[in-house]
Amino acid sequence: MSPPSATEVQSTEDTQVPTFTTALTVNGVPARRAKNPKISGGLAAAASSDMFKSPGHGKPKAKRWNHRLSEESKLRTASSLKGAAKFLKNPGMLSLGGGLPSSEYFPFENLSMKVPTPPHFSEKETKSSGLTFTAGKHDAAEEKSLYDIHIAFNYGQATGSAQLLRFVTEHTEIVHDPPYQDWQSCLTAGSTSALDMAYRMFTKRGDYILSEEYTFVTAVETASPMGVKCIGVKMDAEGLLPSSLDAILSNWNPSERGGAPKPFLLYTVPSGQNPTGATQSEQRRKDIYRCAQKHDLYILEDEPYYFLQMQPYTGAHAPDAPPPASHEEFLKNLVPSLLSMDVDGRVMRLDSFSKVIAPGSRVGWITASEQIVERFIRHQEVSTQNPSGFSQLALFKLLDETWGHDGYMDWLIWIRLEYTKRRDVLLAACEKFLPREVASWVPPAAGMFHWINIDWQKHPHASSKSILEIEDEIFLAAIDEGVLTSKGSWFRAEADAGEQLFFRTTFAAASEEALTEATERLGQALRSSFKLT
């Protein structure tokens, strides 16, 4: 059985997602590019998703969000120096203006990397049959490539390079096809940086943001120094509960929250949620979106694990899940994103290469309405400026010139199956080694994390120690056994202990043998702490 697949919306409510026949497909990319003007991607060249996406005829335009933007965001103006770079494309222009160093003083003549050739993606296959690409300093001028060291290693625009922006814009349209006209994408220096900027765009000191009751700890730690607090929304096996979200907002009383106004910013990780591993179903996402419409929320959809949606776990000795028969089947079986349902332009989606290519690339992208992306660019211009040129060049050579959209889809299918195998090994070990009388779990359907519920009230010290003291005792017992886990309390959205005790484990990096051994050690720690025989 596959995860819920995308279905067309037939209702006539204002949450209806219109269906358009111009949606881009993987196979349609070459024809699209052939019809578009030649990419203008020279030194510090300006770029916009409008250069690469469908015009969106018949789709509505996004709502305006002036009433939700912070004063800091409203006051940001365009960078004078970045703006002047547009004149560099004028024929015969000699520049004495911008401080762009001459590439003849870049101590790099070329950059070579060996990468897999689809569908032979394993490390062993790459060593034996991988392809080595080389990026030279002046490949663009010599018409060998659209992108080179001369361009990538210099200053660029806050949108990111036109060359890589084209790829992620096409990818976003293929996968999500946002149902309004004026959406755009913008490259980022990773989702953590993007989240920091988004908070500054939408919040002020004293505000609250909404998130799952257990959430990505960095999301809380990023907000805290800004004077912004998180309020946790109750969860179940599918993640954030719309009923809890609605109850919090419907009953908001500023006097009980130090005068804080009713929150309007929702941060959520819908697929393979960190730390719980929960994945929102299609209906759950629709219900969350309708609640956002009811209360005029703006949603930050953080989706690093979106393509790591897995087949359900069926047991320790079940055969491996087969790969999808086609790219179309793969995409159809992904739970539709909030972005794909966003008729209002009330979603900023945060995408990243960190979990599907490499976290050290520090490259991701956001997708939102033109108004929101423009405000985001104004912030990025004077902070990170743009993602690393080294990373952008390497990703362009890999994704655009070597793999193409076909090869990237093949890679996403392969890596999803690889993580599914790792998950299954960990779950089989949990079934074998963890004491079920005190440990329980829901098999994760996406992501990299496994969330284990510990019945702390059965602990021999439950009457004399607090839940946090018992959590610490179990944590240290695991350390003594030689296994490191993450305390569930570290991920609380609010600064309280909660009523349940959890530990987060991950199947992302350890070998299959290490996963099994580590789980056995965790089981020993639990038995020792609970005095089980």
Side-chain angles (χ1 to χ4, degrees):
M1 184 173 125
S2 302
S5 60
T7 57
E8 291 186 3
V9 179
Q10 302 295 334
S11 73
T12 57
E13 300 174 4
D14 62 355
T15 54
Q16 179 173 343
V17 177
T19 301
F20 299 94
T21 59
T22 56
L24 185 64
T25 64
V26 169
N27 294 333
V29 170
R32 163 77 63 80
R33 291 188 177 186
K35 290 179 181 179
N36 285 346
K38 183 179 178 180
I39 191 171
S40 175
L43 199 61
S48 164
S49 288
D50 288 339
M51 300 162 61
F52 313 120
K53 68 185 182 71
S54 299
H57 296 312
K59 293 182 179 182
K61 285 200 168 185
K63 295 180 182 294
R64 302 287 293 178
W65 299 99
N66 303 61
H67 63 300
R68 295 308 195 197
L69 290 171
S70 67
E71 285 304 308
E72 176 184 343
S73 183
K74 291 176 182 178
L75 288 171
R76 291 192 181 278
T77 58
S79 166
S80 303
L81 294 174
K82 296 283 187 188
K86 65 185 178 183
F87 298 110
L88 291 174
K89 66 181 180 180
N90 291 1
M93 180 63 65
L94 298 176
S95 176
L96 298 178
L100 283 70
S102 171
S103 64
E104 68 179 297
Y105 303 122
F106 296 171
F108 305 95
E109 185 58 31
N110 57 59
L111 177 70
S112 295
M113 292 190 179
K114 191 173 185 179
V115 299
T117 53
H120 307 293
F121 291 118
S122 73
E123 193 173 66
K124 182 178 179 181
E125 289 173 314
T126 303
K127 286 181 179 178
S128 62
S129 63
L131 173 70
T132 299
F133 64 70
T134 298
K137 183 175 283 189
H138 300 293
D139 286 352
E142 296 168 2
E143 298 187 346
K144 296 178 182 178
S145 175
L146 292 173
Y147 205 29
D148 58 20
I149 290 173
H150 167 73
I151 299 169
F153 289 12
N154 219 312
Y155 289 111
Q157 295 292 336
T159 55
S161 67
Q163 293 86 344
L164 190 56
L165 180 63
R166 177 177 68 174
F167 186 90
V168 302
T169 299
E170 293 166 345
H171 174 79
T172 298
E173 186 171 350
I174 290 166
V175 177
H176 308 288
D177 192 22
Y180 61 94
Q181 277 186 46
D182 51 333
W183 65 271
Q184 291 194 0
S185 296
C186 172
L187 297 181
T188 69
S191 291
T192 301
S193 169
L195 182 62
D196 175 81
M197 294 185 202
Y199 283 170
R200 293 182 182 280
M201 287 173 59
F202 289 105
T203 66
K204 65 181 184 301
R205 186 167 291 274
D207 281 352
Y208 277 82
I209 57 174
L210 300 142
S211 74
E212 289 92 348
E213 61 180 324
Y214 291 91
T215 189
F216 179 39
V217 65
T218 301
V220 177
E221 293 171 347
T222 299
S224 181
M226 301 178 189
V228 175
K229 296 180 181 179
C230 292
I231 183 166
V233 181
K234 294 294 183 184
M235 304 174 69
D236 64 6
E238 287 190 16
L240 187 147
L241 281 165
S243 58
S244 175
L245 179 64
D246 182 60
I248 289 170
L249 295 166
S250 297
N251 300 307
W252 187 264
N253 185 344
S255 64
E256 296 176 354
R257 297 282 180 175
K262 178 179 170 181
F264 63 84
L265 190 65
L266 170 63
Y267 170 79
T268 182
V269 182
S271 307
Q273 197 256 357
N274 185 0
T276 67
T279 296
Q280 298 167 10
S281 67
E282 180 179 5
Q283 187 58 53
R284 176 64 57 89
R285 297 180 200 215
K286 289 179 179 179
D287 292 343
I288 291 170
Y289 190 84
R290 290 189 178 102
C291 187
Q293 289 182 310
K294 175 182 176 181
H295 295 281
D296 198 25
L297 303 183
Y298 194 88
I299 302 173
L300 302 179
E301 179 186 25
D302 191 3
E303 277 283 36
Y305 313 105
Y306 185 72
F307 292 104
L308 301 183
Q309 296 180 41
M310 304 168 183
Q311 301 281 30
Y313 177 70
T314 54
H317 303 293
D320 291 340
S326 64
H327 297 149
E328 290 75 19
E329 181 182 318
F330 171 61
L331 294 176
K332 182 179 179 181
N333 286 335
L334 296 173
V335 183
S337 64
L338 288 166
L339 177 65
S340 73
M341 306 173 181
D342 185 19
V343 294
D344 299 332
R346 67 173 66 250
V347 174
M348 177 192 286
R349 181 180 172 90
L350 286 72
D351 276 290
S352 173
F353 290 118
S354 290
K355 302 305 188 292
V356 294
I357 297 291
S361 69
R362 302 319 305 145
V363 177
W365 70 99
I366 63 158
T367 302
S369 66
E370 180 180 22
Q371 179 196 19
I372 297 304
V373 170
E374 186 273 337
R375 290 290 86 196
F376 186 91
I377 289 169
R378 298 289 82 83
H379 190 146
Q380 189 153 265
E381 282 175 337
V382 294
S383 53
T384 59
Q385 294 203 29
N386 55 270
S388 162
F390 285 80
S391 295
Q392 289 191 73
L393 182 57
L395 288 167
F396 170 79
K397 299 294 284 190
L398 173 67
L399 299 175
D400 197 285
E401 284 195 348
T402 305
W403 285 355
H405 288 283
D406 267 336
Y408 187 44
M409 287 293 170
D410 289 340
W411 168 261
L412 293 173
I413 291 169
W414 179 82
I415 199 171
R416 181 187 73 164
L417 292 173
E418 289 297 301
Y419 277 114
T420 301
K421 293 174 187 176
R422 287 175 172 271
R423 177 207 61 179
D424 291 351
V425 168
L426 180 64
L427 289 174
C430 287
E431 290 177 346
K432 184 176 181 180
F433 295 117
L434 297 191
R436 297 301 291 266
E437 58 265 46
V438 296
S440 60
W441 57 86
V442 175
M448 297 178 168
F449 302 111
H450 182 40
W451 192 236
I452 302 172
N453 188 349
I454 306 299
D455 189 350
W456 68 277
Q457 293 180 334
K458 292 182 178 178
H459 196 276
H461 299 150
S463 61
S464 59
K465 289 187 176 181
S466 69
I467 183 173
L468 292 181
E469 288 173 324
I470 293 173
E471 179 189 54
D472 192 56
E473 180 180 322
I474 296 170
F475 176 78
L476 293 175
I479 294 293
D480 289 341
E481 293 290 345
V483 59
L484 178 65
T485 62
S486 295
K487 296 180 181 181
S489 63
W490 293 344
F491 303 94
R492 290 286 297 172
E494 300 182 52
D496 59 18
E499 298 175 353
Q500 293 179 287
L501 195 158
F502 297 96
F503 284 92
R504 190 196 76 173
T505 61
T506 178
F507 47 89
S511 67
E512 293 185 4
E513 294 77 13
L515 287 171
T516 300
E517 174 64 23
T519 305
E520 183 175 8
R521 294 179 184 183
L522 178 59
Q524 292 167 350
L526 286 170
R527 287 186 171 86
S528 172
S529 182
F530 277 84
K531 304 295 190 288
L532 301 173
T533 56

